[in-house]
Amino acid sequence: MTTIKKYPNLPVHIVEDHNDALYHILRAVGSKHLPFTNNLLIHFDSHPDLLIPAELKASEVYDVPVMLQKLSIENWILVAAFTGQISSIVWIKPPWSNQIENGNYKFLIGKQSGTDKIRVSCPALYFVGEMVYCKPDNLENTKEVNLFVHTLGFESNEKLEQDINNLIQGHGKNYILDIDLDFFTTMNPFVSMHDKVNMYNRLKNIYSFNFTASQESDIIDAQLKKRYDQITTLGMIFSHLQELKDTDLIQRKVFSISESIKDKQVRESLIELIQDLSNEYGPEVDWELVHDAGCTFDDESHELPHHISSDDEIDILMKLTSELITSFPPPTVVTIARSSLDDYCPPDQVDMVQESVCEFLSKTYNIVCKKHYEDAEGD
């Protein structure tokens, strides 16, 4: 049995993009400060970050430099579940986040039979809507994932403390504490994008789909196919627009480009939006980024959170977070993501929030703080 080493001081790795946290977690595994498999991640964030990189093949996951290069902020955790480093995930979310409902989810992750794609067997909207769901019978080389989703409200939660402490004990007191600073205050950067034509709200009518929660495989498969057809068709349209670029060409061809949309109301909404964007912003429009904004919608009640917190709200949430974390044994390693350059954490608040988090950690543990983001002033 491998002996787990102990750090002399608790390492706190601060990164800008959240997916860069995985590098430091894997370093802790490689140096034998964390077990090679079955680790626990306690993840404070306004977003679940539980998607799967579309460009990452299952066969590439163990080529670490290639894998790390293909990660993004929304899809870095489950890759480590596929390789076995992480088996239990606790997503602690603020009250304004609703991408996954509170509850305990036990599912499989593996390679989809006949493909080189990583997929999960959880039929929740988050996974079906993002087309990463697969029937468990069609998964190979599977590993079990335990996902616990809890909202940290503006009141204490003794049961939450007890449940997480039981999990920590079950993992031999080894765990990763991960904090995204947008947990305390967050923006949806797409809300204000091309706001002269109210683009974001209009995309909702084009990209939303009706989801029915079900355990019936036929129902799930039908919804998955419908979502795949919808996103694939829209993706091809916006890729075509990106290739055209020329405003006059877009205006002339918009009707023919949109013919593949069968729903008349959706097609008309799409044509009007394309025309308005082209008229108002012309060559400034990044059409593929418009598509990315639309893909953030699942059904009408689930979208990226947008809640710029007041100072009082940040203070309250910081106090509750501190109380919850101090009820746990010390973590093995801490990762912190700023998420400010992509505007998920408001740039004018991020330094203040970071200072508060680091102040709490330094009062609670003997830490060594390592800044890995650009313009860091030193360790």
Side-chain angles (χ1 to χ4, degrees):
M1 185 176 180
T2 303
T3 302
I4 300 300
K5 299 178 182 178
K6 298 292 183 183
Y7 288 111
N9 296 293
L10 176 63
V12 177
H13 298 282
I14 307 176
V15 298
E16 178 58 49
D17 296 334
H18 207 161
N19 49 290
D20 290 338
L22 184 58
Y23 171 82
H24 301 287
I25 293 169
L26 294 179
R27 286 287 300 270
V29 171
S31 63
K32 300 181 181 179
H33 289 89
L34 283 169
F36 187 73
T37 59
N38 299 321
N39 285 290
L40 167 64
L41 176 73
I42 300 179
H43 172 65
F44 287 79
D45 199 329
S46 279
H47 313 89
D49 296 353
L50 293 171
L51 298 180
I52 294 168
E55 301 302 319
L56 180 66
K57 299 175 181 178
S59 58
E60 296 175 325
V61 169
Y62 294 97
D63 187 336
V64 175
V66 171
M67 177 268 288
L68 291 174
Q69 189 175 19
K70 292 190 176 184
L71 298 182
S72 188
I73 55 174
E74 76 281 1
N75 58 29
W76 60 277
I77 295 175
L78 285 184
V79 172
F82 179 78
T83 56
Q85 272 73 61
I86 294 173
S87 61
S88 296
I89 303 156
V90 180
W91 177 33
I92 308 293
K93 58 179 181 172
W96 41 84
S97 295
N98 66 354
Q99 288 170 285
I100 303 177
E101 307 298 336
N102 286 346
N104 298 347
Y105 303 82
K106 184 176 289 188
F107 57 90
L108 300 176
I109 186 168
K111 184 177 84 72
Q112 185 178 30
S113 301
T115 76
D116 204 5
K117 297 176 180 178
I118 303 168
R119 293 290 181 260
V120 300
S121 66
C122 183
L125 166 64
Y126 178 78
F127 298 108
V128 175
E130 294 292 341
M131 300 168 291
V132 297
Y133 167 82
C134 179
K135 291 179 183 178
D137 294 345
N138 291 337
L139 291 175
E140 302 171 357
N141 305 322
T142 59
K143 295 180 177 67
E144 190 173 85
V145 181
N146 294 302
L147 170 64
F148 305 87
V149 180
H150 298 277
T151 299
L152 188 64
F154 290 164
E155 57 185 20
S156 61
N157 194 328
E158 293 181 6
K159 186 178 186 307
L160 179 58
E161 293 180 7
Q162 181 180 347
D163 289 347
I164 296 178
N165 271 296
N166 289 341
L167 268 176
I168 293 172
Q169 296 298 326
H171 284 265
K173 296 185 180 180
N174 293 296
Y175 71 97
I176 304 138
L177 175 61
D178 175 69
I179 302 171
D180 195 318
L181 300 182
D182 74 15
F183 173 80
F184 301 95
T185 176
T186 192
M187 297 195 301
N188 178 346
F190 295 116
V191 167
S192 59
M193 181 178 171
H194 300 324
D195 54 358
K196 291 180 182 178
V197 299
N198 193 27
M199 183 199 77
Y200 184 74
N201 287 327
R202 293 168 70 178
L203 284 173
K204 186 182 300 186
N205 298 326
I206 296 166
Y207 279 83
S208 293
F209 84 117
N210 294 323
F211 175 78
T212 303
S214 175
Q215 297 294 326
E216 297 292 330
S217 59
D218 290 346
I219 295 175
I220 299 171
D221 284 348
Q223 293 186 107
L224 192 64
K225 183 181 185 306
K226 181 180 179 182
R227 183 60 166 172
Y228 177 82
D229 291 344
Q230 177 193 31
I231 296 299
T232 301
T233 301
L234 288 165
M236 291 175 64
I237 289 171
F238 281 101
S239 291
H240 192 176
L241 293 172
Q242 188 72 10
E243 291 172 3
L244 289 177
K245 292 185 181 294
D246 185 88
T247 302
D248 292 335
L249 269 177
I250 289 172
Q251 291 286 4
R252 289 201 302 270
K253 294 190 174 185
V254 63
F255 290 95
S256 60
I257 291 172
S258 305
E259 284 179 351
S260 53
I261 301 292
K262 304 305 180 185
D263 185 298
K264 180 180 178 182
Q265 184 174 351
V266 172
R267 184 170 64 253
E268 290 176 351
S269 296
L270 177 62
I271 289 170
E272 289 175 2
L273 177 60
I274 292 170
Q275 289 175 328
D276 289 349
L277 283 168
S278 184
N279 287 330
E280 184 65 41
Y281 295 98
E284 296 177 25
V285 180
D286 182 332
W287 295 102
E288 291 180 339
L289 189 58
V290 174
H291 175 63
D292 290 343
C295 287
T296 63
F297 294 105
D298 289 323
D299 67 0
E300 292 187 356
S301 60
H302 293 79
E303 58 186 88
L304 288 176
H306 184 76
H307 183 93
I308 301 174
S309 302
S310 66
D311 289 349
D312 286 344
E313 287 176 317
I314 292 173
D315 289 344
I316 292 170
L317 205 50
M318 192 72 66
K319 181 175 183 293
L320 290 171
T321 301
S322 304
E323 290 174 352
L324 181 61
I325 291 174
T326 52
S327 75
F328 309 153
T332 301
V333 63
V334 179
T335 53
I336 296 174
R338 286 169 58 84
S339 299
S340 61
L341 295 183
D342 53 19
D343 289 336
Y344 283 97
C345 185
D348 62 336
Q349 292 181 311
V350 64
D351 289 332
M352 178 267 289
V353 175
Q354 178 177 316
E355 184 178 346
S356 295
V357 170
C358 290
E359 182 181 1
F360 150 68
L361 290 172
S362 63
K363 286 181 179 178
T364 309
Y365 313 108
N366 292 320
I367 69 171
V368 53
C369 191
K370 302 179 180 181
K371 298 177 180 178
H372 303 281
Y373 55 94
E374 189 177 5
D375 297 327
E377 295 175 357
D379 290 352

